[in-house]
Amino acid sequence: MLSYYQMTLLQQDWKKQHVYLVQYPRCRTLPNLSPWSFKLETWLRMAGIPFTNINNEFKHFSEKGQVPFIELNGQQIAESNIIIEALKKEFANEEMSPSSPNEQALARGFTALVEDHLSWYILLNTRAFRALLSLRSKLGFEFLLSDDGFGRHYGNGITKPFDDVLNKYVKESTPNLVQFIERVREK
C-alpha cells in the first residue's frame, strides 16, 4: 500500500487488512451526522470490508485536519473519496468499481452532484437537523441557523415541492437506485 500520511496512529495494536474508521461520535438517530463519514461507513459495509469505528471524541483529526480518516496496515489515509479509491486498490475487488470508463465518469459525476449539491438538501431533511433547529435556543446556539443565515427558509415549506418531485422521480425513473437503497438499509 502507498504511504499517504505518517503520524501517530490511534490504533496502536492494528490488525493487517482491517480498517479503523475514525469519525465523529455516533448519534442516536443516525450512524453519523457527517455525510462523508456516513458515506464511507456505508461503502465499507456494502463492500464487506472488515472495519472498526473509532470515536474521534472531537479531538483526533487526520494530518490534513479532516474527519473521517482511516488507519489501515499502519498507515493513515484521509478524505473520503481518496479513502475509497485506496481501499478499492488494496482489497482488489472488481465489483466495487464500474468497469467501463464511461461508467466510471458517470459514477464520479453523480458523486460530485450528491456531495456538492444534494448533501445540503439531505442534511436539511434529517430528523437530527430538525431536532437541532428546535433545540438551538435551549442549547445556547441562537446564532446558529439564524433567521438571517443558513436555514432561514427551513420550516416554511420551501423544500416540500422539491421533496414530492424528487421522491416521484426516484421511485418512477430509477428502480435500480430504489433497489440499491433497500440493499443498503438491509446491511
Side-chain angles (χ1 to χ4, degrees):
M1 175 170 215
L2 296 172
S3 174
Y4 289 90
Y5 306 107
Q6 295 285 346
M7 70 181 307
T8 304
L9 298 173
L10 293 177
Q11 187 68 36
Q12 293 294 318
D13 57 340
W14 53 271
K15 298 176 193 168
K16 191 164 179 58
Q17 296 301 92
H18 187 89
V19 175
Y20 298 94
L21 173 59
V22 182
Q23 58 182 335
Y24 294 111
R26 299 178 79 74
C27 305
R28 284 187 318 129
T29 58
L30 291 170
N32 204 294
L33 277 177
S34 163
W36 297 275
S37 293
F38 191 70
K39 171 183 80 171
L40 188 54
E41 183 173 343
T42 301
W43 189 89
L44 285 164
R45 288 180 193 279
M46 294 300 294
I49 295 173
F51 72 98
T52 301
N53 277 308
I54 297 178
N55 180 351
N56 83 332
E57 301 169 352
F58 295 109
K59 61 183 178 181
H60 301 290
F61 300 90
S62 72
E63 186 174 87
K64 295 171 92 177
Q66 295 178 318
V67 174
F69 65 94
I70 66 166
E71 294 178 354
L72 176 64
N73 299 333
Q75 302 292 316
Q76 182 192 95
I77 307 171
E79 207 281 298
S80 60
N81 291 324
I82 292 173
I83 293 169
I84 289 172
E85 291 303 317
L87 291 172
K88 285 178 187 177
K89 290 176 186 169
E90 183 69 25
F91 288 90
N93 185 338
E94 296 299 321
E95 295 176 10
M96 292 185 211
S97 296
S99 55
S100 75
N102 286 343
E103 289 175 344
Q104 289 172 0
L106 190 59
R108 287 179 194 245
F110 274 108
T111 298
L113 171 70
V114 169
E115 290 182 356
D116 297 340
H117 302 288
L118 294 180
S119 61
W120 289 110
Y121 170 78
I122 293 165
L123 175 66
L124 286 171
N125 284 285
T126 63
R127 278 188 269 176
F129 184 77
R130 291 175 188 163
L132 176 63
L133 282 176
S134 65
L135 293 173
R136 66 184 177 196
S137 62
K138 293 176 186 173
L139 297 172
F141 295 111
E142 296 88 0
F143 63 90
L144 183 64
L145 308 167
S146 65
D147 291 338
D148 60 346
F150 181 74
R152 65 185 175 271
H153 300 295
Y154 190 79
N156 65 2
I158 199 166
T159 63
K160 182 67 175 139
F162 188 65
D163 289 347
D164 295 340
V165 171
L166 184 61
N167 286 333
K168 182 179 178 186
Y169 174 78
V170 168
K171 288 177 182 171
E172 293 177 2
S173 304
T174 59
N176 58 339
L177 179 60
V178 173
Q179 292 168 357
F180 174 74
I181 290 169
E182 290 304 317
R183 287 195 311 269
V184 169
R185 284 182 180 151
E186 290 172 8
K187 289 195 177 216

